[in-house]
Amino acid sequence: SLSVDQQKLYPGESADISIDIENNLNDDVEDVSLSLDLANTLFTSIGGSESTQDNINSDDSETFDFDIKASQSVKPGDYNIPYTLTYIIDDGNSTKKTEKATFGLTVGAKTELTYTVETEKNVVGQKGKLSLKIVNKGLGDIRFVSVKIMPQGFDLLSSDTNYIGTVSSDDFETATYDVIFNSQNTKLSATVTYRDFENKQISENINLPVKV
């Protein structure tokens, strides 16, 4: 049986991949070779695509280590990596076996967000609008995005929390609030909460000046 442990892997970067192979046979095996078949994939190996072990005893396991680099053009997601496993069964007949299969590899996406302020009728004493524009420059979507605003220099005429949902890669969404501006010393202070491509919940505090 085979199990995989990988470091975080991003487009254009490399990561260590550890593959544990357990010998579930009744006999020991010798000359064990694990070779990754990367020719038709968007991945390359650093330092070789084959790893070997002299033997794996029955009901024991050994680890095969690889350094894998993802292409700059690969999209975040899950990929199947083909491999070939060869070994000799120590059963008195030195039976050679070859197995071909695949294992899963995950390419993540780093979150890269930028924030800008937009206003309408931004005059002291006037009713206007205040917006936070969220631009997703990363390669992965962010989901369950919500914005909670803390008034500084204006009064809120709507709810302090605005649920946006998903901000797709290379796209933007805007949280807009109805306000009355009451000071030129105005700031947009907000907490943006979302789940990143790896489903990790993130909260970011935003403080941006507002021209009134």
Side-chain angles (χ1 to χ4, degrees):
S1 62
L2 178 148
S3 61
V4 180
D5 183 32
Q6 70 162 92
Q7 293 181 333
K8 290 185 182 299
L9 180 61
Y10 299 106
E13 299 183 10
S14 62
D16 291 330
I17 310 296
S18 295
I19 301 175
D20 288 334
I21 295 181
E22 183 178 0
N23 180 4
N24 301 124
L25 302 174
N26 294 325
D27 299 299
D28 299 343
V29 296
E30 300 175 342
D31 298 332
V32 186
S33 171
L34 180 63
S35 179
L36 307 186
D37 304 325
L38 303 174
N40 296 316
T41 71
L42 292 172
F43 302 90
T44 57
S45 61
I46 300 174
S49 60
E50 183 180 13
S51 181
T52 61
Q53 295 286 349
D54 291 336
N55 60 77
I56 305 178
N57 295 330
S58 178
D59 294 324
D60 199 2
S61 63
E62 293 290 345
T63 301
F64 298 75
D65 295 317
F66 299 91
D67 191 3
I68 302 297
K69 183 176 182 180
S71 167
Q72 186 70 46
S73 62
V74 69
K75 294 182 179 180
D78 296 324
Y79 293 85
N80 288 323
I81 304 300
Y83 69 85
T84 301
L85 177 66
T86 60
Y87 54 91
I88 297 174
I89 302 176
D90 188 10
D91 58 357
N93 297 317
S94 297
T95 305
K96 187 173 183 179
K97 293 286 188 179
T98 299
E99 299 178 7
K100 292 181 178 290
T102 63
F103 65 87
L105 192 64
T106 300
V107 178
K110 295 180 180 179
T111 302
E112 185 180 356
L113 305 179
T114 59
Y115 303 93
T116 57
V117 176
E118 297 177 347
T119 58
E120 292 182 21
K121 299 181 180 179
N122 51 329
V123 178
V124 172
Q126 293 290 317
K127 177 181 176 181
K129 292 184 181 295
L130 182 61
S131 301
L132 177 65
K133 184 178 181 180
I134 304 172
V135 181
N136 183 0
K137 293 184 175 181
L139 295 178
D141 300 345
I142 60 171
R143 301 175 298 120
F144 305 111
V145 183
S146 65
V147 180
K148 184 175 182 180
I149 198 170
M150 283 75 77
Q152 291 190 40
F154 58 90
D155 295 325
L156 268 174
L157 300 178
S158 55
S159 172
D160 62 353
T161 301
N162 197 319
Y163 179 74
I164 292 177
T166 298
V167 183
S168 301
S169 172
D170 197 28
D171 201 357
F172 69 90
E173 297 290 343
T174 303
T176 300
Y177 299 87
D178 294 322
V179 302
I180 294 179
F181 296 101
N182 54 36
S183 172
Q184 287 184 288
N185 186 23
T186 298
K187 288 185 178 180
L188 175 56
S189 296
T191 299
V192 180
T193 304
Y194 59 90
R195 287 191 177 273
D196 65 9
F197 182 80
E198 299 170 358
N199 205 35
K200 182 180 179 181
Q201 184 162 312
I202 309 291
S203 291
E204 295 186 10
N205 293 321
I206 310 300
N207 288 285
L208 298 171
V210 180
K211 183 179 180 180
V212 178

